[in-house]
Amino acid sequence: MIQSRRPIIAIDGPAGAGKSTVAKRLAKKLNYIYIDTGAMYRAVTLKAMQAGLDLTDQPAVEKLASRVELRFLSGQVGRVRCDGQDVTEQIRTPEVSRNVSAHVANYSGVRKALVAQQQALGAPGGVVMEGRDITTVVFPDAEIKIYLDASQEERAKRRFEELKAQDREQPFAQLLADLKRRDEEDRNRPGGALVRVPDALKVNSTRLTVDKVIKMIIRKIKKQEREQVIMTWFYTTGYILSSLWLRIFHRLKAYWQKQLPSQGGFILASNHASMLDPTALGVAAWPRELYFMARSTLFRPRWFGWLLHMVHARPVTRGKGPEQDWDLFVKLVRAGKALLVFPEGTRTEDGKLQRGKSGFGRLAHKCQAPVYPAYIQGSYAAWPKSGKYRCGRPVSVYFGPEVPLGDLLEQPGEKKILRQISGRTMEAIAALEAEVRANQATGAQTPPGG
Ligand code: DC
């Protein structure tokens, strides 16, 4: 079975909510890498101050941000290095705090450069990343999302105690006013503003100890892991039963399966001739687990909906046209799953390939992921749309090389481009069909594209 990468734990929340303490402890406990994105904005600010830049000079600060190299030292949780210099303590001064939130964090060029670095750091997974825009901009598809909050008074009180313990006492009223100003700036920043996404676990730490907060987060991770194990068990059982049925009664064969990537998200685009297709493609693509679309009405008896969910079917409402909401499927692909889609939308009436729908183009464009063609042969004869199921008819599945869509996916998603994406994908399926037929005529078995 394909082992997916370790999760990304994204934590957002206002200043002083306890994100750093929680994230550090969590990273240590799980043996994950801890990434403090606030420290990155602070390091750029410090560097600009050291270079004597005017911090209101946006282009100059942005230029500097695009060049700095930021590193988090492994084995020394929480220490940060900027262009080779350890700046962990220097970035915590009140002057840096003021300048970062009033100027540097607001610059779009700075955010772009740092978000790219954060995405590169987190991409392998197994990280706890904290900041303001991690769940919204940096990793909107993170497996675990947390929004950590606490009342303003409590956060100011914590800061007060912290400074007092360091003999750097400051009046409580001033700390509270500072915090209110920073909250205001964080929530109204033009890019990367602090907001809570609906699927984040909201934890209010006002009356909770750090231990309790960590326990809540670990509980969420464990629950998600348990669901994953159950889902894998169901999918595997479904695979075994379907595989027995299709191999015994339809002599199912899969060809050129090595064309498919063994890891990472992609769309598998197949012709659609029969009710048998999703199951046959699911068996043929194994060990890659495929996610499917199923009519939302099928999910209505709740127990059946749960069962469908467990074998990776996800609901789609038919007939919505351009209004169709693809977010759920885009998320799946971005999270590294393989999604089976029939670009023709419905089963063929006559066994021939139909035109691709522009809805497929829209989905592929939103996913920005590779598309691979599949051609299923024989399923029409075994169970056509307006005909009876015939046991014993052979079914075969063929996989082709990636559809060359790069140039189209780069362009804005206008109707013309979406149609071209669907068109080119259907051409790739047709080319695969032609190749299969040519091979069958000569008895050759060379995979397409090499
Ligand atoms: O978490 P912190 O206080 O160290 O963050 C420092 C500043 O950087 C703060 O003003 C908010 C900003 N920041 C941001 O805009 N986006 C992030 N992902 C993290 C921090």
PDB file of all heavy atoms in Angstrom, residues 12-16 19-20 36-42 91-92 96-98 100-102 105-106 111 118 130-134 138 182 185-186 189 191-192, ligand 1:
ATOM      1  N   ASP A  12      -3.021  28.660  13.530  1.00  0.00           N
ATOM      2  CA  ASP A  12      -3.133  30.117  13.427  1.00  0.00           C
ATOM      3  C   ASP A  12      -3.760  30.666  14.705  1.00  0.00           C
ATOM      4  O   ASP A  12      -4.417  29.923  15.458  1.00  0.00           O
ATOM      5  CB  ASP A  12      -4.037  30.504  12.243  1.00  0.00           C
ATOM      6  CG  ASP A  12      -3.289  30.412  10.917  1.00  0.00           C
ATOM      7  OD1 ASP A  12      -2.059  30.581  10.924  1.00  0.00           O
ATOM      8  OD2 ASP A  12      -3.946  30.171   9.883  1.00  0.00           O
ATOM      9  N   GLY A  13      -3.607  31.962  14.887  1.00  0.00           N
ATOM     10  CA  GLY A  13      -4.236  32.596  16.041  1.00  0.00           C
ATOM     11  C   GLY A  13      -3.574  33.933  16.291  1.00  0.00           C
ATOM     12  O   GLY A  13      -2.515  34.226  15.730  1.00  0.00           O
ATOM     13  N   PRO A  14      -4.186  34.766  17.150  1.00  0.00           N
ATOM     14  CA  PRO A  14      -3.622  36.092  17.411  1.00  0.00           C
ATOM     15  C   PRO A  14      -2.365  36.023  18.274  1.00  0.00           C
ATOM     16  O   PRO A  14      -2.062  34.971  18.849  1.00  0.00           O
ATOM     17  CB  PRO A  14      -4.760  36.796  18.159  1.00  0.00           C
ATOM     18  CG  PRO A  14      -5.525  35.702  18.802  1.00  0.00           C
ATOM     19  CD  PRO A  14      -5.417  34.521  17.898  1.00  0.00           C
ATOM     20  N   ALA A  15      -1.674  37.144  18.356  1.00  0.00           N
ATOM     21  CA  ALA A  15      -0.445  37.217  19.165  1.00  0.00           C
ATOM     22  C   ALA A  15      -0.756  36.863  20.614  1.00  0.00           C
ATOM     23  O   ALA A  15      -1.788  37.261  21.148  1.00  0.00           O
ATOM     24  CB  ALA A  15       0.120  38.630  19.087  1.00  0.00           C
ATOM     25  N   GLY A  16       0.118  36.094  21.213  1.00  0.00           N
ATOM     26  CA  GLY A  16       0.012  35.801  22.638  1.00  0.00           C
ATOM     27  C   GLY A  16      -0.999  34.737  23.004  1.00  0.00           C
ATOM     28  O   GLY A  16      -1.312  34.542  24.172  1.00  0.00           O
ATOM     29  N   LYS A  19       0.488  30.017  20.796  1.00  0.00           N
ATOM     30  CA  LYS A  19       0.791  29.171  19.627  1.00  0.00           C
ATOM     31  C   LYS A  19       2.200  28.580  19.693  1.00  0.00           C
ATOM     32  O   LYS A  19       2.365  27.390  19.473  1.00  0.00           O
ATOM     33  CB  LYS A  19       0.683  29.979  18.323  1.00  0.00           C
ATOM     34  CG  LYS A  19      -0.694  30.500  18.012  1.00  0.00           C
ATOM     35  CD  LYS A  19      -0.740  31.110  16.632  1.00  0.00           C
ATOM     36  CE  LYS A  19       0.205  32.248  16.402  1.00  0.00           C
ATOM     37  NZ  LYS A  19      -0.036  33.484  17.121  1.00  0.00           N
ATOM     38  N   SER A  20       3.177  29.434  20.012  1.00  0.00           N
ATOM     39  CA  SER A  20       4.565  28.949  19.994  1.00  0.00           C
ATOM     40  C   SER A  20       4.777  27.843  21.018  1.00  0.00           C
ATOM     41  O   SER A  20       5.357  26.806  20.702  1.00  0.00           O
ATOM     42  CB  SER A  20       5.539  30.081  20.282  1.00  0.00           C
ATOM     43  OG  SER A  20       5.374  31.062  19.325  1.00  0.00           O
ATOM     44  N   ASP A  36       8.194  28.403  12.942  1.00  0.00           N
ATOM     45  CA  ASP A  36       7.571  29.617  13.464  1.00  0.00           C
ATOM     46  C   ASP A  36       7.621  30.673  12.352  1.00  0.00           C
ATOM     47  O   ASP A  36       8.664  31.283  12.121  1.00  0.00           O
ATOM     48  CB  ASP A  36       8.381  30.054  14.699  1.00  0.00           C
ATOM     49  CG  ASP A  36       7.955  31.404  15.234  1.00  0.00           C
ATOM     50  OD1 ASP A  36       7.000  31.987  14.691  1.00  0.00           O
ATOM     51  OD2 ASP A  36       8.581  31.876  16.196  1.00  0.00           O
ATOM     52  N   THR A  37       6.510  30.863  11.648  1.00  0.00           N
ATOM     53  CA  THR A  37       6.542  31.775  10.496  1.00  0.00           C
ATOM     54  C   THR A  37       6.644  33.239  10.937  1.00  0.00           C
ATOM     55  O   THR A  37       7.170  34.070  10.205  1.00  0.00           O
ATOM     56  CB  THR A  37       5.305  31.595   9.597  1.00  0.00           C
ATOM     57  OG1 THR A  37       4.129  31.893  10.353  1.00  0.00           O
ATOM     58  CG2 THR A  37       5.225  30.198   9.046  1.00  0.00           C
ATOM     59  N   GLY A  38       6.156  33.529  12.148  1.00  0.00           N
ATOM     60  CA  GLY A  38       6.293  34.896  12.673  1.00  0.00           C
ATOM     61  C   GLY A  38       7.774  35.257  12.768  1.00  0.00           C
ATOM     62  O   GLY A  38       8.166  36.395  12.475  1.00  0.00           O
ATOM     63  N   ALA A  39       8.597  34.257  13.142  1.00  0.00           N
ATOM     64  CA  ALA A  39      10.040  34.491  13.260  1.00  0.00           C
ATOM     65  C   ALA A  39      10.636  34.861  11.903  1.00  0.00           C
ATOM     66  O   ALA A  39      11.601  35.626  11.830  1.00  0.00           O
ATOM     67  CB  ALA A  39      10.726  33.244  13.817  1.00  0.00           C
ATOM     68  N   MET A  40      10.025  34.350  10.831  1.00  0.00           N
ATOM     69  CA  MET A  40      10.544  34.655   9.486  1.00  0.00           C
ATOM     70  C   MET A  40      10.271  36.126   9.146  1.00  0.00           C
ATOM     71  O   MET A  40      11.133  36.826   8.619  1.00  0.00           O
ATOM     72  CB  MET A  40       9.906  33.717   8.453  1.00  0.00           C
ATOM     73  CG  MET A  40      10.255  32.253   8.717  1.00  0.00           C
ATOM     74  SD  MET A  40       9.323  31.092   7.701  1.00  0.00           S
ATOM     75  CE  MET A  40      10.256  31.102   6.192  1.00  0.00           C
ATOM     76  N   TYR A  41       9.044  36.599   9.457  1.00  0.00           N
ATOM     77  CA  TYR A  41       8.724  38.013   9.210  1.00  0.00           C
ATOM     78  C   TYR A  41       9.598  38.909  10.091  1.00  0.00           C
ATOM     79  O   TYR A  41      10.053  39.973   9.672  1.00  0.00           O
ATOM     80  CB  TYR A  41       7.231  38.286   9.471  1.00  0.00           C
ATOM     81  CG  TYR A  41       6.359  37.690   8.390  1.00  0.00           C
ATOM     82  CD1 TYR A  41       5.850  36.394   8.499  1.00  0.00           C
ATOM     83  CD2 TYR A  41       6.075  38.404   7.227  1.00  0.00           C
ATOM     84  CE1 TYR A  41       5.077  35.839   7.494  1.00  0.00           C
ATOM     85  CE2 TYR A  41       5.301  37.863   6.216  1.00  0.00           C
ATOM     86  CZ  TYR A  41       4.814  36.581   6.355  1.00  0.00           C
ATOM     87  OH  TYR A  41       4.060  36.033   5.352  1.00  0.00           O
ATOM     88  N   ARG A  42       9.828  38.444  11.309  1.00  0.00           N
ATOM     89  CA  ARG A  42      10.672  39.215  12.230  1.00  0.00           C
ATOM     90  C   ARG A  42      12.113  39.284  11.710  1.00  0.00           C
ATOM     91  O   ARG A  42      12.761  40.327  11.789  1.00  0.00           O
ATOM     92  CB  ARG A  42      10.671  38.561  13.611  1.00  0.00           C
ATOM     93  CG  ARG A  42       9.377  38.769  14.376  1.00  0.00           C
ATOM     94  CD  ARG A  42       9.369  37.950  15.655  1.00  0.00           C
ATOM     95  NE  ARG A  42       8.130  38.140  16.390  1.00  0.00           N
ATOM     96  CZ  ARG A  42       7.944  39.119  17.276  1.00  0.00           C
ATOM     97  NH1 ARG A  42       8.924  39.960  17.549  1.00  0.00           N
ATOM     98  NH2 ARG A  42       6.785  39.240  17.887  1.00  0.00           N
ATOM     99  N   ILE A  91      15.442  38.959  17.265  1.00  0.00           N
ATOM    100  CA  ILE A  91      14.163  39.251  16.592  1.00  0.00           C
ATOM    101  C   ILE A  91      13.013  39.464  17.574  1.00  0.00           C
ATOM    102  O   ILE A  91      11.895  39.727  17.174  1.00  0.00           O
ATOM    103  CB  ILE A  91      13.763  38.130  15.590  1.00  0.00           C
ATOM    104  CG1 ILE A  91      13.661  36.777  16.294  1.00  0.00           C
ATOM    105  CG2 ILE A  91      14.709  38.085  14.413  1.00  0.00           C
ATOM    106  CD1 ILE A  91      13.099  35.666  15.412  1.00  0.00           C
ATOM    107  N   ARG A  92      13.287  39.363  18.873  1.00  0.00           N
ATOM    108  CA  ARG A  92      12.204  39.493  19.868  1.00  0.00           C
ATOM    109  C   ARG A  92      12.138  40.876  20.510  1.00  0.00           C
ATOM    110  O   ARG A  92      11.397  41.060  21.471  1.00  0.00           O
ATOM    111  CB  ARG A  92      12.372  38.437  20.976  1.00  0.00           C
ATOM    112  CG  ARG A  92      12.347  37.006  20.482  1.00  0.00           C
ATOM    113  CD  ARG A  92      10.957  36.537  20.119  1.00  0.00           C
ATOM    114  NE  ARG A  92      11.030  35.433  19.162  1.00  0.00           N
ATOM    115  CZ  ARG A  92      10.033  35.034  18.410  1.00  0.00           C
ATOM    116  NH1 ARG A  92       8.866  35.641  18.469  1.00  0.00           N
ATOM    117  NH2 ARG A  92      10.170  34.036  17.561  1.00  0.00           N
ATOM    118  N   VAL A  96      11.504  45.467  16.870  1.00  0.00           N
ATOM    119  CA  VAL A  96      11.207  44.550  15.762  1.00  0.00           C
ATOM    120  C   VAL A  96       9.703  44.253  15.748  1.00  0.00           C
ATOM    121  O   VAL A  96       9.047  44.301  14.704  1.00  0.00           O
ATOM    122  CB  VAL A  96      12.042  43.241  15.872  1.00  0.00           C
ATOM    123  CG1 VAL A  96      11.566  42.210  14.860  1.00  0.00           C
ATOM    124  CG2 VAL A  96      13.523  43.521  15.681  1.00  0.00           C
ATOM    125  N   SER A  97       9.124  43.977  16.924  1.00  0.00           N
ATOM    126  CA  SER A  97       7.685  43.671  17.013  1.00  0.00           C
ATOM    127  C   SER A  97       6.849  44.777  16.387  1.00  0.00           C
ATOM    128  O   SER A  97       5.914  44.523  15.643  1.00  0.00           O
ATOM    129  CB  SER A  97       7.238  43.512  18.471  1.00  0.00           C
ATOM    130  OG  SER A  97       7.897  42.430  19.048  1.00  0.00           O
ATOM    131  N   ARG A  98       7.207  46.014  16.706  1.00  0.00           N
ATOM    132  CA  ARG A  98       6.447  47.158  16.192  1.00  0.00           C
ATOM    133  C   ARG A  98       6.568  47.254  14.667  1.00  0.00           C
ATOM    134  O   ARG A  98       5.580  47.359  13.958  1.00  0.00           O
ATOM    135  CB  ARG A  98       6.965  48.452  16.828  1.00  0.00           C
ATOM    136  CG  ARG A  98       5.945  49.120  17.739  1.00  0.00           C
ATOM    137  CD  ARG A  98       6.374  50.499  18.200  1.00  0.00           C
ATOM    138  NE  ARG A  98       7.794  50.665  18.442  1.00  0.00           N
ATOM    139  CZ  ARG A  98       8.424  50.370  19.596  1.00  0.00           C
ATOM    140  NH1 ARG A  98       7.735  49.870  20.602  1.00  0.00           N
ATOM    141  NH2 ARG A  98       9.726  50.557  19.735  1.00  0.00           N
ATOM    142  N   VAL A 100       7.546  45.021  12.418  1.00  0.00           N
ATOM    143  CA  VAL A 100       7.060  43.894  11.618  1.00  0.00           C
ATOM    144  C   VAL A 100       5.558  44.025  11.388  1.00  0.00           C
ATOM    145  O   VAL A 100       5.072  43.881  10.268  1.00  0.00           O
ATOM    146  CB  VAL A 100       7.459  42.523  12.225  1.00  0.00           C
ATOM    147  CG1 VAL A 100       6.845  42.280  13.578  1.00  0.00           C
ATOM    148  CG2 VAL A 100       7.071  41.379  11.307  1.00  0.00           C
ATOM    149  N   SER A 101       4.819  44.322  12.437  1.00  0.00           N
ATOM    150  CA  SER A 101       3.370  44.307  12.249  1.00  0.00           C
ATOM    151  C   SER A 101       2.868  45.596  11.584  1.00  0.00           C
ATOM    152  O   SER A 101       1.887  45.578  10.853  1.00  0.00           O
ATOM    153  CB  SER A 101       2.645  43.966  13.542  1.00  0.00           C
ATOM    154  OG  SER A 101       2.344  45.093  14.261  1.00  0.00           O
ATOM    155  N   ALA A 102       3.571  46.726  11.810  1.00  0.00           N
ATOM    156  CA  ALA A 102       3.123  47.986  11.187  1.00  0.00           C
ATOM    157  C   ALA A 102       3.554  48.094   9.730  1.00  0.00           C
ATOM    158  O   ALA A 102       2.900  48.742   8.929  1.00  0.00           O
ATOM    159  CB  ALA A 102       3.654  49.177  11.985  1.00  0.00           C
ATOM    160  N   ALA A 105       5.167  43.003   7.522  1.00  0.00           N
ATOM    161  CA  ALA A 105       4.211  41.908   7.259  1.00  0.00           C
ATOM    162  C   ALA A 105       3.087  42.340   6.314  1.00  0.00           C
ATOM    163  O   ALA A 105       2.324  41.500   5.835  1.00  0.00           O
ATOM    164  CB  ALA A 105       3.640  41.389   8.573  1.00  0.00           C
ATOM    165  N   ASN A 106       2.975  43.640   6.060  1.00  0.00           N
ATOM    166  CA  ASN A 106       1.901  44.107   5.163  1.00  0.00           C
ATOM    167  C   ASN A 106       2.308  44.110   3.696  1.00  0.00           C
ATOM    168  O   ASN A 106       1.465  44.290   2.822  1.00  0.00           O
ATOM    169  CB  ASN A 106       1.503  45.548   5.521  1.00  0.00           C
ATOM    170  CG  ASN A 106       0.877  45.611   6.895  1.00  0.00           C
ATOM    171  OD1 ASN A 106       0.285  44.639   7.346  1.00  0.00           O
ATOM    172  ND2 ASN A 106       1.030  46.727   7.571  1.00  0.00           N
ATOM    173  N   ARG A 111       5.387  38.918   1.677  1.00  0.00           N
ATOM    174  CA  ARG A 111       4.525  37.757   1.976  1.00  0.00           C
ATOM    175  C   ARG A 111       4.729  36.677   0.915  1.00  0.00           C
ATOM    176  O   ARG A 111       4.823  35.497   1.220  1.00  0.00           O
ATOM    177  CB  ARG A 111       3.048  38.159   2.048  1.00  0.00           C
ATOM    178  CG  ARG A 111       2.730  39.196   3.099  1.00  0.00           C
ATOM    179  CD  ARG A 111       1.273  39.143   3.538  1.00  0.00           C
ATOM    180  NE  ARG A 111       1.023  37.989   4.383  1.00  0.00           N
ATOM    181  CZ  ARG A 111       1.226  37.956   5.691  1.00  0.00           C
ATOM    182  NH1 ARG A 111       1.668  39.008   6.333  1.00  0.00           N
ATOM    183  NH2 ARG A 111       0.988  36.854   6.371  1.00  0.00           N
ATOM    184  N   GLN A 118       7.907  28.999   3.092  1.00  0.00           N
ATOM    185  CA  GLN A 118       7.162  28.184   4.068  1.00  0.00           C
ATOM    186  C   GLN A 118       6.578  26.940   3.396  1.00  0.00           C
ATOM    187  O   GLN A 118       6.604  25.845   3.951  1.00  0.00           O
ATOM    188  CB  GLN A 118       6.036  29.023   4.700  1.00  0.00           C
ATOM    189  CG  GLN A 118       6.567  30.099   5.631  1.00  0.00           C
ATOM    190  CD  GLN A 118       5.661  31.305   5.739  1.00  0.00           C
ATOM    191  OE1 GLN A 118       4.516  31.276   5.288  1.00  0.00           O
ATOM    192  NE2 GLN A 118       6.159  32.372   6.327  1.00  0.00           N
ATOM    193  N   GLU A 130       3.230  27.440  12.612  1.00  0.00           N
ATOM    194  CA  GLU A 130       2.300  28.382  13.235  1.00  0.00           C
ATOM    195  C   GLU A 130       2.462  29.788  12.692  1.00  0.00           C
ATOM    196  O   GLU A 130       3.554  30.150  12.251  1.00  0.00           O
ATOM    197  CB  GLU A 130       2.460  28.349  14.755  1.00  0.00           C
ATOM    198  CG  GLU A 130       3.870  28.633  15.227  1.00  0.00           C
ATOM    199  CD  GLU A 130       3.992  29.866  16.080  1.00  0.00           C
ATOM    200  OE1 GLU A 130       3.191  30.798  15.892  1.00  0.00           O
ATOM    201  OE2 GLU A 130       4.908  29.899  16.916  1.00  0.00           O
ATOM    202  N   GLY A 131       1.369  30.554  12.692  1.00  0.00           N
ATOM    203  CA  GLY A 131       1.406  31.926  12.198  1.00  0.00           C
ATOM    204  C   GLY A 131       0.031  32.540  12.187  1.00  0.00           C
ATOM    205  O   GLY A 131      -0.776  32.341  13.102  1.00  0.00           O
ATOM    206  N   ARG A 132      -0.258  33.306  11.107  1.00  0.00           N
ATOM    207  CA  ARG A 132      -1.564  33.969  10.985  1.00  0.00           C
ATOM    208  C   ARG A 132      -2.342  33.460   9.766  1.00  0.00           C
ATOM    209  O   ARG A 132      -3.555  33.514   9.740  1.00  0.00           O
ATOM    210  CB  ARG A 132      -1.389  35.488  10.826  1.00  0.00           C
ATOM    211  CG  ARG A 132      -0.567  36.155  11.884  1.00  0.00           C
ATOM    212  CD  ARG A 132      -1.283  36.122  13.238  1.00  0.00           C
ATOM    213  NE  ARG A 132      -0.609  36.991  14.201  1.00  0.00           N
ATOM    214  CZ  ARG A 132       0.527  36.695  14.818  1.00  0.00           C
ATOM    215  NH1 ARG A 132       1.111  35.543  14.599  1.00  0.00           N
ATOM    216  NH2 ARG A 132       1.067  37.534  15.677  1.00  0.00           N
ATOM    217  N   ASP A 133      -1.572  33.029   8.732  1.00  0.00           N
ATOM    218  CA  ASP A 133      -2.221  32.681   7.460  1.00  0.00           C
ATOM    219  C   ASP A 133      -1.866  31.264   7.017  1.00  0.00           C
ATOM    220  O   ASP A 133      -1.881  30.964   5.839  1.00  0.00           O
ATOM    221  CB  ASP A 133      -1.785  33.683   6.374  1.00  0.00           C
ATOM    222  CG  ASP A 133      -0.270  33.700   6.184  1.00  0.00           C
ATOM    223  OD1 ASP A 133       0.436  33.123   7.038  1.00  0.00           O
ATOM    224  OD2 ASP A 133       0.211  34.265   5.190  1.00  0.00           O
ATOM    225  N   ILE A 134      -1.520  30.409   7.962  1.00  0.00           N
ATOM    226  CA  ILE A 134      -1.091  29.057   7.584  1.00  0.00           C
ATOM    227  C   ILE A 134      -2.293  28.234   7.107  1.00  0.00           C
ATOM    228  O   ILE A 134      -2.222  27.539   6.097  1.00  0.00           O
ATOM    229  CB  ILE A 134      -0.367  28.332   8.753  1.00  0.00           C
ATOM    230  CG1 ILE A 134       0.648  29.253   9.420  1.00  0.00           C
ATOM    231  CG2 ILE A 134       0.283  27.039   8.267  1.00  0.00           C
ATOM    232  CD1 ILE A 134       1.670  29.842   8.479  1.00  0.00           C
ATOM    233  N   VAL A 138      -0.979  29.534   3.304  1.00  0.00           N
ATOM    234  CA  VAL A 138       0.231  28.711   3.140  1.00  0.00           C
ATOM    235  C   VAL A 138      -0.143  27.242   2.905  1.00  0.00           C
ATOM    236  O   VAL A 138       0.264  26.636   1.910  1.00  0.00           O
ATOM    237  CB  VAL A 138       1.173  28.854   4.365  1.00  0.00           C
ATOM    238  CG1 VAL A 138       2.472  28.091   4.130  1.00  0.00           C
ATOM    239  CG2 VAL A 138       1.474  30.318   4.638  1.00  0.00           C
ATOM    240  N   ARG A 182      -2.104  45.332  17.650  1.00  0.00           N
ATOM    241  CA  ARG A 182      -1.570  44.245  16.814  1.00  0.00           C
ATOM    242  C   ARG A 182      -2.689  43.345  16.293  1.00  0.00           C
ATOM    243  O   ARG A 182      -2.655  42.893  15.157  1.00  0.00           O
ATOM    244  CB  ARG A 182      -0.556  43.410  17.609  1.00  0.00           C
ATOM    245  CG  ARG A 182       0.747  44.163  17.780  1.00  0.00           C
ATOM    246  CD  ARG A 182       1.805  43.299  18.395  1.00  0.00           C
ATOM    247  NE  ARG A 182       2.129  42.161  17.545  1.00  0.00           N
ATOM    248  CZ  ARG A 182       2.877  41.149  17.943  1.00  0.00           C
ATOM    249  NH1 ARG A 182       3.358  41.124  19.158  1.00  0.00           N
ATOM    250  NH2 ARG A 182       3.150  40.161  17.133  1.00  0.00           N
ATOM    251  N   GLU A 185      -4.198  45.069  13.410  1.00  0.00           N
ATOM    252  CA  GLU A 185      -3.339  44.976  12.213  1.00  0.00           C
ATOM    253  C   GLU A 185      -3.383  43.572  11.617  1.00  0.00           C
ATOM    254  O   GLU A 185      -3.462  43.400  10.407  1.00  0.00           O
ATOM    255  CB  GLU A 185      -1.889  45.355  12.573  1.00  0.00           C
ATOM    256  CG  GLU A 185      -1.694  46.849  12.726  1.00  0.00           C
ATOM    257  CD  GLU A 185      -0.413  47.221  13.471  1.00  0.00           C
ATOM    258  OE1 GLU A 185       0.252  46.332  14.043  1.00  0.00           O
ATOM    259  OE2 GLU A 185      -0.089  48.423  13.494  1.00  0.00           O
ATOM    260  N   ASP A 186      -3.352  42.578  12.493  1.00  0.00           N
ATOM    261  CA  ASP A 186      -3.369  41.180  12.010  1.00  0.00           C
ATOM    262  C   ASP A 186      -4.666  40.855  11.277  1.00  0.00           C
ATOM    263  O   ASP A 186      -4.668  40.128  10.297  1.00  0.00           O
ATOM    264  CB  ASP A 186      -3.235  40.203  13.192  1.00  0.00           C
ATOM    265  CG  ASP A 186      -1.788  40.051  13.632  1.00  0.00           C
ATOM    266  OD1 ASP A 186      -0.891  40.516  12.906  1.00  0.00           O
ATOM    267  OD2 ASP A 186      -1.562  39.468  14.710  1.00  0.00           O
ATOM    268  N   ARG A 189      -4.994  43.012   7.673  1.00  0.00           N
ATOM    269  CA  ARG A 189      -3.886  43.021   6.715  1.00  0.00           C
ATOM    270  C   ARG A 189      -4.442  42.721   5.313  1.00  0.00           C
ATOM    271  O   ARG A 189      -5.271  41.822   5.167  1.00  0.00           O
ATOM    272  CB  ARG A 189      -2.902  41.938   7.152  1.00  0.00           C
ATOM    273  CG  ARG A 189      -1.638  41.923   6.410  1.00  0.00           C
ATOM    274  CD  ARG A 189      -0.553  41.217   7.207  1.00  0.00           C
ATOM    275  NE  ARG A 189      -0.091  42.030   8.321  1.00  0.00           N
ATOM    276  CZ  ARG A 189      -0.009  41.595   9.574  1.00  0.00           C
ATOM    277  NH1 ARG A 189      -0.387  40.378   9.884  1.00  0.00           N
ATOM    278  NH2 ARG A 189       0.445  42.390  10.515  1.00  0.00           N
ATOM    279  N   GLY A 191      -3.184  41.206   2.704  1.00  0.00           N
ATOM    280  CA  GLY A 191      -2.959  39.799   2.305  1.00  0.00           C
ATOM    281  C   GLY A 191      -2.615  39.022   3.549  1.00  0.00           C
ATOM    282  O   GLY A 191      -1.934  39.529   4.430  1.00  0.00           O
ATOM    283  N   GLY A 192      -3.121  37.773   3.638  1.00  0.00           N
ATOM    284  CA  GLY A 192      -2.763  36.919   4.780  1.00  0.00           C
ATOM    285  C   GLY A 192      -3.354  37.379   6.100  1.00  0.00           C
ATOM    286  O   GLY A 192      -2.767  37.182   7.165  1.00  0.00           O
TER     287      GLY A 192
HETATM  288  O1   DC B   1       3.759  35.416  15.796  1.00  0.00           O
HETATM  289  P1   DC B   1       4.665  36.689  15.918  1.00  0.00           P
HETATM  290  O2   DC B   1       4.171  37.694  16.874  1.00  0.00           O
HETATM  291  O3   DC B   1       6.083  36.333  16.128  1.00  0.00           O
HETATM  292  O4   DC B   1       4.572  37.355  14.458  1.00  0.00           O
HETATM  293  C1   DC B   1       5.290  38.505  14.139  1.00  0.00           C
HETATM  294  C2   DC B   1       4.553  39.349  13.141  1.00  0.00           C
HETATM  295  O5   DC B   1       4.459  38.720  11.878  1.00  0.00           O
HETATM  296  C3   DC B   1       3.119  39.685  13.544  1.00  0.00           C
HETATM  297  O6   DC B   1       2.970  41.058  13.451  1.00  0.00           O
HETATM  298  C4   DC B   1       2.231  39.033  12.541  1.00  0.00           C
HETATM  299  C5   DC B   1       3.130  38.708  11.397  1.00  0.00           C
HETATM  300  N1   DC B   1       2.870  37.388  10.846  1.00  0.00           N
HETATM  301  C6   DC B   1       2.178  37.310   9.671  1.00  0.00           C
HETATM  302  O7   DC B   1       1.756  38.338   9.158  1.00  0.00           O
HETATM  303  N2   DC B   1       1.954  36.086   9.106  1.00  0.00           N
HETATM  304  C7   DC B   1       2.401  34.966   9.680  1.00  0.00           C
HETATM  305  N3   DC B   1       2.179  33.774   9.091  1.00  0.00           N
HETATM  306  C8   DC B   1       3.096  35.024  10.887  1.00  0.00           C
HETATM  307  C9   DC B   1       3.313  36.267  11.449  1.00  0.00           C
END
